[in-house]
Amino acid sequence: MQLHRKGHCDLIVLITVFTAGSLSAPVKVKLHDSATLSCSGRCSGLVRWTEFSDRTDVLAECDQTSCRSVKEGYHMIHDQYLKEDFSLIITDADFSKRGSYTSDCDGEDLCDVKLKIEPLNCTVQMEPGESLVLMVDVSDPVEVIYNSTVTAGPSSGQICTVGGRSLQCKPEYTQRASLTSALELRNMTPSDSGLYAVMDKRNEDVLHTYTVTVQVVQDSWIWKTTYEKGKSDGYQTGVRFGALAVGVAALFIMFGVFFLGVVAAPWVHPQMDSYVQMPRCNDSSYRSQCKEKERGQMII
């Protein structure tokens, strides 16, 4: 802030700057949580909050009589204002509300506070050939940063940038990438495993991180054997052979369970009844019935 006044006015402004704490630490909250941008100082006049990039668009304001929420989702509390607490409350902090905010007292700066949203962290496990979907939640230009976690993986660094409806990617990703409401990377391979970060270039904020693991499903020895057999005919063929073998094995298991239920159940059920009734013979209320049953068996 530049100081144009002279004499005692300079002293008053300097006191306001230092006591108000204009260089506040950034406030970081989770997505859709409420956020409080703290500000305190000396002001008996009108306190207003605006975005730093547009000082004419008032969000909320307070004076000695009342407080007003000029823009939905932003408000101040009058009781706090009377105690020289000029904090701004943002009820639903989403990605569109990130950035720097400033407050002033009758036109003189009070506080500057930056709001950040904690990045969303996702863990993704996928099979080769599937697509990775990376969310792009802001209209500002973003870049996708990749850090490999495998030795044979591609080089780390920026792989794509998104600006509005424009998508620019490195040559090795051009044919695999497409942009709709999100950025999609097709035909993922095990070498693509790693950490993907979606970063807002203007605010230098990380929006999303994706820890991605791409690996072939190896549920059983059947999968391994048939996959290796079909692999010689091509990657997709190997995957299809493995999936078919696992499916056939599952059908055999289901048929076996059904067979046991139909054929063995009539023999198992009486045996289970005898085991269930044995503990009852130790109880006085069933003892006489057990003895009668034993006599009947002996006569037979």
Side-chain angles (χ1 to χ4, degrees), residues 208-224:
H208 297 275
T209 61
Y210 298 84
T211 303
V212 180
T213 303
V214 186
Q215 59 184 2
V216 176
V217 176
Q218 297 178 347
D219 291 336
S220 63
W221 63 271
I222 299 176
W223 174 279
K224 296 177 183 179

Side-chain angles (χ1 to χ4, degrees), residues 20-278:
S22 60
L23 299 177
S24 301
V27 175
K28 182 178 289 189
V29 298
K30 294 181 179 179
L31 183 65
H32 298 305
D33 278 0
S34 63
T36 299
L37 308 187
S38 299
C39 178
S40 59
R42 298 176 182 177
C43 182
S44 58
L46 178 65
V47 175
R48 302 186 310 169
W49 278 93
T50 64
E51 292 188 51
F52 191 83
S53 58
D54 187 358
R55 305 294 292 268
T56 62
D57 187 14
V58 179
L59 306 174
E61 59 186 17
C62 264
D63 57 24
Q64 289 293 326
T65 59
S66 64
C67 290
R68 290 164 296 282
S69 178
V70 181
K71 195 170 183 178
E72 185 178 358
Y74 303 87
H75 68 275
M76 301 171 66
I77 299 175
H78 192 253
D79 287 344
Q80 293 182 354
Y81 166 87
L82 296 176
K83 298 175 183 177
E84 298 183 340
D85 181 352
F86 310 130
S87 299
L88 175 68
I89 300 173
I90 303 174
T91 54
D92 182 6
D94 58 27
F95 287 115
S96 67
K97 295 183 174 65
R98 294 169 305 116
S100 297
Y101 294 81
T102 185
S103 62
D104 66 77
C105 170
D106 291 331
E108 296 292 343
D109 289 347
L110 280 175
C111 303
D112 294 328
V113 185
K114 187 172 185 179
L115 175 63
K116 292 177 173 286
I117 306 295
E118 292 183 5
L120 298 176
N121 304 312
C122 302
T123 300
V124 181
Q125 294 183 345
M126 59 197 318
E127 298 179 28
E130 294 184 338
S131 296
L132 174 64
V133 177
L134 306 174
M135 299 305 297
V136 181
D137 299 293
V138 297
S139 57
D140 297 323
V142 301
E143 58 183 353
V144 178
I145 308 297
Y146 169 69
N147 286 304
S148 177
T149 55
V150 292
T151 305
S155 59
S156 300
Q158 182 192 93
I159 61 174
C160 291
T161 59
V162 179
R165 305 306 307 165
S166 174
L167 173 65
Q168 299 290 331
C169 293
K170 294 173 66 175
E172 56 266 39
Y173 292 93
T174 301
Q175 299 299 319
R176 298 172 51 196
S178 61
L179 179 65
T180 54
S181 58
L183 173 60
E184 179 181 356
L185 292 178
R186 298 181 297 275
N187 298 324
M188 295 291 286
T189 66
S191 62
D192 291 319
S193 298
L195 179 66
Y196 293 78
V198 180
M199 177 175 288
D200 177 1
K201 296 178 65 176
R202 183 171 67 88
N203 294 295
E204 297 183 347
D205 290 336
V206 176
L207 306 178
H208 297 275
T209 61
Y210 298 84
T211 303
V212 180
T213 303
V214 186
Q215 59 184 2
V216 176
V217 176
Q218 297 178 347
D219 291 336
S220 63
W221 63 271
I222 299 176
W223 174 279
K224 296 177 183 179
T225 303
T226 53
Y227 174 79
E228 292 298 330
K229 181 179 179 181
K231 190 176 180 181
S232 60
D233 296 328
Y235 170 75
Q236 296 294 340
T237 304
V239 173
R240 286 197 294 270
F241 267 104
L244 178 62
V246 172
V248 171
L251 287 175
F252 272 107
I253 294 173
M254 292 174 62
F255 178 80
V257 172
F258 176 79
F259 177 82
L260 290 175
V262 173
V263 177
W267 179 82
V268 173
H269 187 270
Q271 302 299 323
M272 292 298 296
D273 284 345
S274 63
Y275 282 112
V276 170
Q277 292 180 3
M278 284 177 62

